[in-house]
Amino acid sequence: METLFEDIKQQIRSQLETQEWLSDAELMERIEAIVLEKAKGRYISSSEKYDMVLKIFYSFRGLDLLQPLLDDPEISEIMVNDYNEIFVEKHGEMVRHHEQFENREKLEDLIQLIVGKVNRVVNESVPIVDARLADGSRVNVVLPPVALNGPTLTIRKIPKSVMTLEQLSKLGTLPPSVSSLLKLLVQAKYNLFIGGGTGSGKTTLLNALAQCIPSDERIITIEDSAELRIEGIPNLVRLETRNRNTEGKGEITIRDLIRTSLRMRPNRIIIGEVRGAEAYDMLQAMNTGHEGALSTAHANSVKDMLSRLEMMVLSAAALPLEVIRKQIVSAIDIMIHLSRMRDRSRKVMEISEIAGIKNGEIVLNPLFVFKEDTNHSNDLEDKIRVNGCLTATGHSLHHKEKLKQAGLIEQWEAAVQEVSA
């Protein structure tokens, strides 16, 4: 079967070299005809023929053997450690894929194809790059000599449909009543900051919150690799960073994009993720009248997120800690923390208001905290499964001015009563 597969690929390759460009449909028809012809006299089932046609087509027009993995809705992440070692995450579980690339050159060619489509460069001089696929899936590439095993490719797939707060509630990420409160906070232009670990669902929640923005506003999104998909906003501008070229020039950073976005008359600025000095520019933007901002960062808790923000700002400007904390308090209204639990579910663990400063320390006002139900049986699966709920602390929101200005205070009070009931 493998010999037949290579024979057909070589025949198609020869035809493509000598003929004019074929459309995808024409190429598929050509492959089907050759497979049917070559399969005569051999016992090959219809499903095997179909799989062969797709596999050959993907080797020319898709992402080779990764294409079926990208098309599989049950797979959320694809990890290629080298040409002969591929892992996938399926239903939250990491498993090794049974196929592999023919050789390392095939994998390297595929990597160049991916990064080239988004005008990125990756080579020995620039061995690390972030990119994206046409569907918005996030791509990270690391090449030797940095990657000791060989070319490493990681693809974080983006769901085909945009996740809403209602859908996240059905998945158990947060209760429906809390979703209603977050929606009101977004509509009232509170600045929300989302923290969490890798794979905890920060970007998914950010995207869901962005769907709550009124359709008559002008939105600027800023990302390393564009993956946010905001629907229903006609006045939307998407900005993406650019790596330096082979001469070390032409780099456009998150900081550059934040600064230029302020001159683009935005109603809101959404920053996909802050990792360093750009946190300073983000706080500056929030403190100069640009309300309703949304952003994310890696952190282990809400308090840890505040510490990380302080360190990120310090990397950009040598300011006294007291000044930095005052900027954080005046800029960010609400902190949200997510975690990926031991049963692989993703849950909102805490929602806190930044209430102010006392004795030089930032004061948090926890509104909701996840409480786990520890009363479970001795069954192993029951012990692994996380049962619990995001519970109201009983603390009320201190700063309600934005809700009043937006005319949403009555809806907020009614929603709070529903949560407390």
Side-chain angles (χ1 to χ4, degrees):
M1 184 74 76
E2 191 64 32
T3 304
L4 176 63
F5 177 80
E6 290 301 325
D7 184 28
I8 296 173
K9 273 188 68 175
Q10 185 56 46
Q11 186 172 340
I12 294 293
R13 188 177 291 110
S14 299
Q15 291 186 11
L16 291 176
E17 289 174 353
T18 58
Q19 295 182 0
E20 294 183 1
W21 173 262
L22 297 177
S23 68
D24 287 351
E26 291 171 334
L27 178 59
M28 183 68 83
E29 289 179 7
R30 184 71 55 86
I31 294 171
E32 287 175 349
I34 295 175
V35 168
L36 291 174
E37 179 65 29
K38 292 284 186 179
K40 288 181 179 178
R42 301 169 184 258
Y43 179 73
I44 303 176
S45 66
S46 298
S47 61
E48 288 175 326
K49 292 175 186 175
Y50 178 73
D51 289 343
M52 185 179 292
V53 169
L54 285 182
K55 192 173 180 181
I56 294 171
F57 177 79
Y58 290 147
S59 69
F60 287 102
R61 292 288 166 85
L63 293 184
D64 208 340
L65 61 87
L66 298 186
Q67 191 64 48
L69 305 180
L70 288 166
D71 294 338
D72 188 342
E74 296 182 339
I75 292 175
S76 56
E77 196 138 7
I78 302 166
M79 294 147 279
V80 183
N81 298 340
D82 198 359
Y83 78 96
N84 58 353
E85 189 175 298
I86 301 173
F87 287 84
V88 298
E89 184 182 58
K90 199 168 187 176
H91 303 302
E93 183 179 354
M94 209 90 68
V95 295
R96 185 162 184 168
H97 187 51
H98 63 278
E99 292 189 87
Q100 64 181 49
F101 288 91
E102 297 173 33
N103 49 51
R104 186 169 288 180
E105 288 71 27
K106 291 287 184 182
L107 174 57
E108 291 172 344
D109 289 345
L110 178 62
I111 287 172
Q112 294 300 333
L113 174 67
I114 292 172
V115 301
K117 286 184 176 180
V118 288
N119 297 316
R120 299 289 171 99
V121 175
V122 64
N123 49 43
E124 286 190 4
S125 301
V126 187
I128 301 174
V129 70
D130 290 317
R132 57 180 165 79
L133 301 179
D135 65 355
S137 295
R138 186 192 307 170
V139 178
N140 174 263
V141 175
V142 184
L143 295 184
V146 176
L148 301 182
N149 292 357
T152 302
L153 173 68
T154 308
I155 301 176
R156 171 77 62 82
K157 289 175 59 179
I158 300 299
K160 297 295 183 184
S161 58
V162 177
M163 196 76 72
T164 63
L165 286 176
E166 289 75 16
Q167 289 172 314
L168 288 178
S169 295
K170 290 179 181 178
L171 291 173
T173 302
L174 72 170
S177 54
V178 179
S179 295
S180 301
L181 292 174
L182 288 179
K183 184 175 182 179
L184 290 172
L185 291 175
V186 171
Q187 292 174 342
K189 289 193 172 184
Y190 281 74
N191 293 327
L192 275 59
F193 201 88
I194 304 167
T198 301
S200 60
K202 299 185 298 298
T203 303
T204 301
L205 178 59
L206 177 66
N207 217 118
L209 291 171
Q211 310 308 316
C212 305
I213 296 173
S215 61
D216 61 346
E217 296 189 21
R218 176 172 170 81
I219 313 300
I220 311 293
T221 66
I222 299 170
E223 301 174 84
D224 269 333
S225 296
E227 56 182 304
L228 290 173
R229 290 190 295 169
I230 301 174
E231 298 179 347
I233 304 291
N235 198 348
L236 173 68
V237 177
R238 304 171 71 211
L239 303 180
E240 184 180 61
T241 62
R242 186 177 70 187
N243 291 347
R244 62 175 65 91
N245 58 25
T246 53
E247 298 175 352
K249 300 178 181 179
E251 180 182 24
I252 298 176
T253 66
I254 291 282
R255 299 193 71 180
D256 298 326
L257 296 179
I258 293 175
R259 290 167 185 166
T260 198
S261 70
L262 301 180
R263 305 184 188 98
M264 299 173 69
R265 208 270 183 208
N267 290 113
R268 299 185 193 236
I269 300 172
I270 300 176
I271 305 168
E273 183 177 347
V274 292
R275 299 188 183 96
E278 64 270 13
Y280 173 72
D281 300 276
M282 178 192 71
L283 294 178
Q284 292 292 98
M286 291 178 178
N287 278 318
T288 52
H290 295 87
E291 298 178 326
L294 302 170
S295 188
T296 76
H298 283 81
N300 297 319
S301 66
V302 170
K303 288 186 177 179
D304 179 53
M305 186 71 265
L306 291 174
S307 298
R308 289 207 65 227
L309 275 172
E310 291 171 5
M311 295 301 296
M312 286 189 277
V313 174
L314 278 171
S315 69
L319 298 173
L321 194 56
E322 182 182 355
V323 173
I324 295 173
R325 287 176 176 172
K326 285 182 178 179
Q327 285 198 348
I328 292 173
V329 168
S330 60
I332 301 174
D333 300 306
I334 302 292
M335 304 284 286
I336 304 171
H337 182 72
L338 292 123
S339 284
R340 186 170 185 177
M341 313 302 283
R342 60 179 179 273
D343 62 355
R344 303 186 183 92
S345 63
R346 296 170 173 88
K347 297 187 183 298
V348 173
M349 302 301 292
E350 182 178 346
I351 300 176
S352 288
E353 176 190 18
I354 295 185
I357 291 182
K358 185 176 182 180
N359 298 326
E361 297 288 335
I362 296 176
V363 178
L364 289 172
N365 175 30
L367 303 174
F368 297 91
V369 176
F370 184 83
K371 291 185 178 180
E372 183 177 354
D373 180 10
T374 56
N375 297 320
H376 45 62
S377 68
N378 292 325
D379 182 69
L380 181 60
E381 286 190 12
D382 192 37
K383 288 182 178 180
I384 294 174
R385 188 182 303 111
V386 175
N387 294 310
C389 185
L390 192 65
T391 307
T393 61
H395 300 165
S396 61
L397 188 72
H398 290 341
H399 303 293
K400 299 179 181 179
E401 294 82 6
K402 291 182 180 180
L403 285 165
K404 293 176 182 177
Q405 292 171 4
L408 298 173
I409 188 63
E410 291 183 2
Q411 293 183 43
W412 172 266
E413 298 296 351
V416 167
Q417 288 184 2
E418 183 182 337
V419 172
S420 304

